[in-house]
Amino acid sequence: MARALGQGARQQLKIHYLVSSSILIASGLVCILVDAPYMGTVLLVAAVVSPLLVTWSLRRTGRRQLTYLCVPTILRMTDDGYEARTDQSTTTMRWSLFGRIVAGPEFWLFFVNKQFTGFLPRRAFSTEQQAEFDGFLAAREHTRAA
């Protein structure tokens, strides 16, 4: 589960890392060129360190959340969506809610408006069920593109 959260966060934050690091690098170079080397150095170091700090912070927060998420769960899949049921909660999600679904080797990652919102572990399904679900998602993507 921690790996799924990490993969989802990486997918979500790719652009953020690229943009923020680019801005920090450009600002640092400008500071160095206008004879403010200390500030320029700080900004260049921040360009390298900030993605590492954000990743560390997300992992730390994710570990705290895992105690609530790592519980026995019953999944029920339909053509309209899926339902995840635990002793404490029931969540129903419609496929139409997700703007993007990334099929990875371990998980299917779900995104709403470029925000990582959930996942399904592949190991919860047989090989045949995985292939069927991948086909379902491909057909769904094909009809959305049309």
Side-chain angles (χ1 to χ4, degrees), residues 29-37:
L29 293 174
V30 167
C31 286
I32 289 171
L33 291 173
V34 297
D35 207 25

Side-chain angles (χ1 to χ4, degrees), residues 92-107:
T92 303
M93 303 295 276
R94 294 197 174 276
W95 300 124
S96 59
L97 174 70
F98 304 116
R100 183 169 66 123
I101 299 175
V102 176
E106 292 183 275
F107 308 99

Side-chain angles (χ1 to χ4, degrees), residues 3-123:
R3 285 192 313 276
L5 294 174
Q7 289 176 18
R10 273 192 299 280
Q11 289 276 330
Q12 179 179 329
L13 294 174
K14 275 184 198 176
I15 299 298
H16 170 74
Y17 285 157
L18 180 65
V19 170
S20 63
S21 293
S22 298
I23 290 170
L24 288 169
I25 289 169
S27 300
L29 293 174
V30 167
C31 286
I32 289 171
L33 291 173
V34 297
D35 207 25
Y38 177 74
M39 181 56 87
T41 303
V42 168
L43 290 169
L44 291 174
V45 169
V48 173
V49 173
S50 64
L52 300 172
L53 287 175
V54 169
T55 301
W56 172 80
S57 176
L58 286 171
R59 282 185 183 161
R60 186 170 179 245
T61 302
R63 267 185 255 141
R64 283 188 262 151
Q65 300 292 327
L66 288 178
T67 57
Y68 302 108
L69 297 172
C70 290
V71 294
T73 304
I74 297 171
L75 293 172
R76 191 172 73 91
M77 311 283 279
T78 68
D79 287 341
D80 295 326
Y82 76 93
E83 178 182 278
R85 183 182 299 261
T86 70
D87 288 341
Q88 308 255 334
S89 68
T90 300
T91 304
T92 303
M93 303 295 276
R94 294 197 174 276
W95 300 124
S96 59
L97 174 70
F98 304 116
R100 183 169 66 123
I101 299 175
V102 176
E106 292 183 275
F107 308 99
W108 290 283
L109 305 173
F110 303 125
F111 294 84
V112 175
N113 297 329
K114 299 184 182 178
Q115 298 289 318
F116 174 63
T117 57
F119 67 94
L120 289 175
R122 283 188 174 272
R123 71 175 185 262

